[in-house]
Amino acid sequence: MQLPDLPITEVLPALLGALKSDGCAVLQAPPGAGKTTVVPLALLPTLETGKIIMLEPRRLAARAAAERLADTLGERIGQTVGYRIKGDTKIGPHTRIEVVTEGILTRMLQTDPMLDGVAAVIFDEFHERSLNADLGLALCWEARNAVRSDLIVLAMSATLDAQPLAEMLGAPIITSTGRAFPVETHWLDTPTSSTTRLEQATRDLVLRALNETQGGVLVFLPGEAEIRRLANLLGDLPASGHAVLPLYGALPFADQRRAIEPMTAARKIVLATSIAETSLTIQDIRVVVDCGLTRRSRFDPGKGMQSLVTERVSKAEAEQRKGRAGRVAHGWCYRLWTRGAEGALAEFAPPEIASGDLTDMALQLSIWGACEDDLAFVTPPSAGGLAAARELLRQLGALDENDHVTPHGKQIAQYPLHARLAHMLAHSGENGAGLAALLSERDPMRDAGADLMVRKRLLGRDGPATLRAEAKRLAKMAGPDKGLDWAEMAALAYPDRIGARRSGDAPRYLLSGGRGAQLDTQDALGSAEYIVATDLDGKGRDAKIRRAVQISESAIRGLYADRIDWHDTVHWSRRERKIVATRQERFGALVLTEKPLPDIPQDQVTNAVIEGIRALGLPRSKKADQLLHRANWLARADKSIPDLAEPALLASLEEWLAPFLVPAPRNADQITGFDITPALKMLLGPAAIQKLDTEVPTHITVPTGRKVAVDYSGDSPEIEIRLQELFGLDR
């Protein structure tokens, strides 16, 4: 077998030697060095038996890498080289190199921790630090240390701070310098105006690049929506000389292939997300236009919601993108930011394990029988994220109260779905396959309102082929139909996102998990009393509902009768400005039924009054104010006098005022008129009261015999008196 003459070949002897002696290594090689294409083929002859499993972060990259490897051998896919990705497998009886997406390795390890028949595992593009890659490496390393000391583990990366990973593995670092062609970098002279839309600014930069360069152009944008808008703006380019091609994850594979294959009839302009940063070789690209933004997934454990956030790229990502222009010849890179702004970029992108949804990781750790502290992670998983994940898994019945995996948890881990959707599929049977397929992918009807039922037609013969194929595949895994409708199935998957409409005109909902959410004011679903929100943006006080389905109260009761119970609640209502006492039938945070509570325990009334006083402020009367002013004036000189400043008094209401709240005031008017003077005197005590009467009297007697009140509210005591009344006063 003749290996391609690529830069990586220079370090192959050192790499293969390290793998033979140490059984593990970290390979650093820039884009275009050939690590994905050459290393598995070079490693294969050194193995007497067993397969090589190579992990790729994306389906398109996995399939493209497998095809490239097979083509190098002059074979068809499924012979020596095959692949396994979601919904598609091409493996033959003689396959020895399997290119797989990352989640597949985790399921392989859970099924067979010995990895019987596997000689080596290669983690390609490890710098992307996906959650599945970090988990897969941790489990793989645990298996190697416990039962498979002969297993070869290789992590390959283009841009990575390799030292922490190498230290964790105890592995040598092998570095290939590569032989990329030089790339000229151009920055903006001045920042783009805040009023200029991203797509317009990017279009201007693309037109400049087309005018100043030659060859194909690769434009990096944060997401599909920006790609579509820029494609529209570029629609006035001459069709005979230019081909504008999108490239993003949800695009059908045939369209993805068009973007990565060479084109001679026109100058290719590929509009891509970060999918094009690594792994893929996009033919005939000489120019990169980088908008400097990327979209990352962020999980908020407090809200229990995941959102996509648009952020600045890291320096490493910017270099990755730039490298795409120097693969075949001298290239150009145009950056939509100034040279000075580059210093503010982070060095590396944050790993997904620190900020992503850890539900599936928590389930896999429980099945593996380990906690996060038992395994080797380059970056420890977020403690808050794991706690939120385990709480959800307990709601789904996948973990017991001790966070041990249940039989149901083991069952749903077999499905290639998020735990929510796997739980739904297990309880709904094959009828849930279509909904599971729809919810596991990006929304194909973003402009159709939020109602999921509108999207049901996509599962018919005129719907996307990929969606129908995935639904069919999941239906084969599921059991017989359980007769549930879409609303009931959605509620099974999202027990914490069943929403009840709040009062008012705006379609705002309180979710059973305690968070707020809202529909667009014009959405047809906005009149529904109860909904299940299956897709939220996770932003703001009330998250925006992107997809939801209407559900009835009877359906909620039918599904969750064991979680609906009665609660007596006594609290201060800020809106009604009074104590409200009710008996509520609740599902989570949702109140299904409410009626007045007739007999209220005194301690609960007292607590509610104290809550009301803190909302309204201390009740103030002339007598109470006079006592407070006198005590606070004396406290300046006498430290034995208690602090009677309002913040201190409000903070300690339970200690000094609670015993005097019998009978308790029930509304704002009664609280405002309540006299706190007796409670203040009790707080001060007899000794302090005697001092006040002696040293800070309420009145003084003037020579005319009249008693005059003393005001202690200012910096010094004051009296109001006619001057003549002071004649004869000697002190």
Side-chain angles (χ1 to χ4, degrees), residues 286-367:
R286 298 278 304 280
V287 185
V288 162
V289 175
D290 186 358
C291 80
L293 298 174
T294 190
R295 200 150 283 149
R296 306 191 203 282
S297 180
R298 287 281 183 271
F299 181 75
D300 184 338
K303 294 180 178 178
M305 296 180 192
Q306 181 129 325
S307 61
L308 287 174
V309 180
T310 304
E311 296 181 342
R312 299 292 300 175
V313 295
S314 66
K315 291 177 182 176
E317 288 169 314
E319 285 304 298
Q320 277 284 129
R321 294 177 173 190
K322 173 184 172 180
R324 288 296 172 188
R327 299 289 290 267
V328 295
H330 169 275
W332 299 265
C333 177
Y334 291 81
R335 289 176 169 169
L336 194 63
W337 63 91
T338 63
R339 191 166 193 166
E342 198 142 304
L345 299 180
E347 291 294 330
F348 298 97
E352 189 180 1
I353 197 170
S355 58
D357 181 354
L358 303 185
T359 305
D360 288 331
M361 169 180 271
L363 180 58
Q364 295 296 341
L365 287 175
S366 296
I367 294 173

Side-chain angles (χ1 to χ4, degrees), residues 611 661 709:
E611 186 184 347
L661 296 175

Side-chain angles (χ1 to χ4, degrees), residues 60 181 279 370 387 396 486 501 536 593 652 674 702:
L60 176 59
F181 291 93
S279 305
L396 299 177
W486 270 32
R501 200 180 194 281
L536 298 144
T593 308
S652 58
F674 188 80
V702 297

